[in-house]
Structure formats: structure tokens, C-alpha cells
Amino acid sequence: MSSGGGPRHGTIVDRRPSGGGLSGALGTYVVRDDEDERYYGFDYRQIVTEGFRTIRTGERVRFHVSAESPDRAKFVIRLDQPDPAEYYR
């Protein structure tokens, strides 16, 4: 069971297109908690960044569990920022 509102660490394990949003391209990301191995979903609006709001499968993140929806992550922060040259290949 999650320890509440404190920060958690996890790995992005999946991205699922959901067909939502204005362009129909809004997707749901899935993060697996490193500690309890539970899965939490979130969308790009929960990614805290100064650049692109995107995350790739396999990236490590820090996040909080939503008090309103215990199966949802919020305030997702990428821990491994990609090298811009690699990103645009």
C-alpha cells in the first residue's frame, strides 16, 4: 500500500493512446512504483517540466499519488533528462 502523499520513485512502463483530447491523441502513461510495485496512470498534464511534456518508456520519475484517485500519479518529474542530440535523432 502506498505511504500517502510523500514523493514516490518509479519507472515508466507503458504509454497507452486513449483517443482523448482535442486532437484525439491524448495518451495515458503508466508508472510502476519502485517500492511497492503498484501501477499508477497519468497523462501529460501531470508532467512537471520546463520543456516538452513527454516521457519515454523506461525513464525514471519521481511522483506523488493523487489523494482523490489513489490509482493516479500527479506531479510527475523526470529524473533522467535526455540529451537533446539523442532526443532529436
Side-chain angles (χ1 to χ4, degrees):
M1 178 99 189
S2 174
S3 64
R8 316 285 296 170
H9 290 87
T11 303
I12 304 302
V13 295
D14 198 7
R15 181 186 183 280
R16 301 178 184 156
S18 65
L22 294 175
S23 65
L26 182 64
T28 298
Y29 296 92
V30 179
V31 59
R32 183 183 65 231
D33 189 300
D34 287 346
E35 185 179 319
D36 63 16
E37 298 186 353
R38 288 187 59 193
Y39 295 90
Y40 300 91
F42 65 95
D43 64 48
Y44 78 97
R45 296 172 295 181
Q46 293 303 322
I47 301 170
V48 179
T49 181
E50 293 181 9
F52 295 112
R53 286 189 174 204
T54 188
I55 290 182
R56 293 183 175 178
T57 302
E59 282 192 88
R60 299 213 1 92
V61 297
R62 185 173 68 229
F63 66 97
H64 290 261
V65 176
S66 170
E68 298 81 29
S69 300
D71 62 337
R72 302 287 295 168
K74 64 180 185 175
F75 306 124
V76 179
I77 299 172
R78 299 168 77 182
L79 297 178
D80 304 321
Q81 293 295 325
D83 177 8
E86 275 297 310
Y87 190 83
Y88 288 106
R89 285 182 189 230

